[in-house]
Amino acid sequence: MELEVIAAGEIRLRPFSVADIPWVYEVSLDPAVQKYLQLPIPYRMSDADFFVREMAIAGWEQGQRAEFVVEQAGEGVPLGRVGFGLDGSGAAQIGYWMDPKARGRGVATAAVRALCGWGFGTLGLGLIEWRAEVGNVASRRVAEKAGFQYEAILRRRLVHRGVRVDAWIGSMLPDDLR
């Protein structure tokens, strides 16, 4: 997979670089991010370094992940993260989080739609799956606005801070992206 930048109106998605490590660290300290994401607590700069270098950058190089920083187009201000875990068989699992300054403005929905369009078009994906811990209403709202179809509750499917929790699951097929 070649590194790409995805233009999407007022935002753009670009691959991570090591310069993003301090920003990832700051956003990962946000209580709303920590509430539903499986992050180490306490979160350290070394954790942000691992995410950027080993998951975002190396994951892309190995064809296992496609991770993007969401930016305000033309300004280079990071607003969030959106990415795919790729299973190698034409399916992906989407994940996203937003910087507190970007919430409530439709940025997450626009970024998810842009990433899904790229995934179906450029990567030729046939299925994108979304999962979130039951109760993560903000994530579910974004997924549904972006076009994901809610499917079910998966019992004890996720592990959060060492405890099995129920997960909402939804999916998007190429025809669902209107």
Side-chain angles (χ1 to χ4, degrees):
M1 247 180 358
E2 290 188 35
L3 293 176
E4 291 195 40
V5 173
I6 302 168
E10 295 183 15
I11 62 168
R12 75 179 197 137
L13 312 180
R14 64 151 175 89
F16 275 83
S17 74
V18 294
D20 296 312
I21 293 169
W23 170 74
V24 168
Y25 173 73
E26 289 300 321
V27 173
S28 297
L29 296 178
D30 177 63
V33 170
Q34 290 188 353
K35 182 174 182 177
Y36 289 112
L37 295 183
Q38 183 65 22
L39 298 175
I41 303 293
Y43 195 82
R44 296 181 172 90
M45 187 67 78
S46 60
D47 299 314
D49 186 276
F50 178 83
F51 173 78
V52 171
R53 291 180 193 271
E54 302 304 321
M55 295 183 73
I57 296 172
W60 191 300
E61 292 168 353
Q62 297 161 2
Q64 297 172 339
R65 303 180 73 86
E67 294 285 346
F68 292 89
V69 174
V70 181
E71 291 183 332
Q72 189 71 44
E75 295 180 20
V77 176
L79 301 173
R81 168 256 166 194
V82 64
F84 287 144
L86 302 166
D87 75 357
S89 68
Q93 189 171 94
I94 195 166
Y96 44 89
W97 46 255
M98 291 293 121
D99 191 302
K101 67 182 173 234
R103 294 184 192 140
R105 300 180 7 209
V107 173
T109 301
V112 166
R113 288 183 60 80
L115 183 64
C116 291
W118 177 80
F120 291 133
T122 301
L123 299 183
L125 296 175
L127 169 72
I128 301 171
E129 186 178 89
W130 160 83
R131 292 182 185 195
E133 183 176 337
V134 169
N136 189 344
V137 176
S139 180
R140 182 170 174 171
R141 188 177 309 121
V142 167
E144 289 176 338
K145 285 181 180 179
F148 281 82
Q149 301 298 310
Y150 172 75
E151 295 181 6
I153 292 177
L154 302 176
R155 297 173 7 165
R156 307 291 189 255
R157 193 58 52 101
L158 299 175
V159 177
H160 189 104
R161 311 237 188 285
V163 176
R164 288 207 160 272
V165 297
D166 295 345
W168 285 322
I169 186 168
S171 66
M172 184 185 287
L173 303 174
D175 292 341
D176 296 333
L177 191 61
R178 339 179 230 304

